[in-house]
Amino acid sequence: VVDSVAALFPLSPWIHVGGDEVPEGAWNGSPIVAGYRAEHDLTTTRDVEGAFHRDLAARVRSRSGRRLGAWQEAAESGGVRPDDGYIVGWRTPEASRQLAAAGYDVVVAPGQAYYLDMAVDERWDEPGACWAGTVSLDDVCRFVPDEGWTDEERSHLLGVQACLWTEHLMNEELVHRMLLPRLDAVAERAWTGDIVGGSSSLSRRAAGSG
């Protein structure tokens, strides 16, 4: 698998391995995991998760010379270390700064600002998820990825990422409705560091009125 992915993307310095949302207790009843835990002197399934990621990082490095990309849980398990690659902070706005302070290169993508599958407000008929609350255009515009970070922490800011998970979006029209103009705000922040005129300016530009 590593060889195939590396061949598909010959110029990428990274291979993203995921590593997020392992449910608590998911492996507790697995005899295979129990055997692996005993063989490697591991105590918990979180230990198994970390060991799996360490092995995966070593395989990616040895077979392709690439570094990893992974979600924040892969770092929290101790599996992906700062030298292994970059981490996407997604659970909270504070998570990315904590990862940067620990020495990880970070892509900032908090659900509370940059998950564009979140509903824009609390109306009952508004499409979208709500586990991270609602994410209005104003919320996206107000979020400053490195606000309050030290210079050392900022040196680990690799970039930002907008996410739109489409399992509950049933047609292209709805996808565009969820994306825009919130994606415009993420892009302007990423490219310029600021959003000139705030959400009202973005809304006017999205509507084609300058």
Side-chain angles (χ1 to χ4, degrees):
V1 171
V2 171
D3 294 345
S4 297
V5 173
L8 284 170
F9 303 97
L11 301 181
S12 172
W14 302 289
I15 292 177
H16 200 291
V17 297
D20 62 319
E21 297 193 50
V22 177
E24 290 292 332
W27 298 336
N28 285 348
S30 168
I32 295 174
V33 172
Y36 184 92
R37 202 166 55 223
E39 180 183 353
H40 295 274
D41 195 26
L42 302 171
T43 303
T44 67
T45 52
R46 176 55 67 93
D47 295 334
V48 174
E49 182 184 352
F52 176 82
H53 282 121
R54 286 190 292 276
D55 180 65
L56 185 56
R59 289 174 186 269
V60 168
R61 191 163 47 244
S62 66
R63 298 194 69 88
S64 71
R66 314 293 179 88
R67 302 174 74 212
L68 298 186
W71 297 94
Q72 72 180 78
E73 291 94 323
E76 292 167 349
S77 72
V80 174
R81 293 158 174 154
D83 288 343
D84 291 329
Y86 73 88
I87 296 294
V88 182
W90 68 279
R91 286 187 165 183
T92 66
E94 297 77 24
S96 293
R97 182 178 183 182
Q98 292 164 358
L99 290 162
Y104 289 94
D105 290 338
V106 177
V107 172
V108 178
Q112 295 77 7
Y114 284 176
Y115 268 48
L116 305 185
D117 54 325
M118 294 297 118
V120 299
D121 61 41
E122 294 182 349
R123 291 181 301 174
W124 70 269
D125 59 344
E126 189 64 41
C130 61
W131 64 262
T134 57
V135 178
S136 68
L137 178 59
D138 282 333
D139 293 328
V140 181
C141 289
R142 280 193 296 264
F143 179 67
V144 180
D146 61 347
E147 186 172 33
W149 291 32
T150 67
D151 289 341
E152 173 62 24
E153 290 162 353
R154 285 192 182 94
S155 72
H156 292 291
L157 177 57
L158 195 62
V160 300
Q161 175 176 298
C163 304
L164 182 69
W165 311 110
T166 59
E167 62 265 40
H168 301 303
L169 304 181
M170 304 308 175
N171 55 61
E172 187 175 350
E173 180 182 359
L174 189 53
V175 169
H176 282 279
R177 175 180 170 184
M178 301 299 283
L179 275 177
L180 301 170
R182 292 185 295 178
L183 183 61
D184 296 336
V186 179
E188 186 161 335
R189 178 73 69 186
W191 281 106
T192 72
D194 195 10
I195 298 176
V196 177
S199 60
S200 59
S201 175
L202 274 171
S203 295
R204 287 196 304 274
R205 283 179 273 161
S209 56

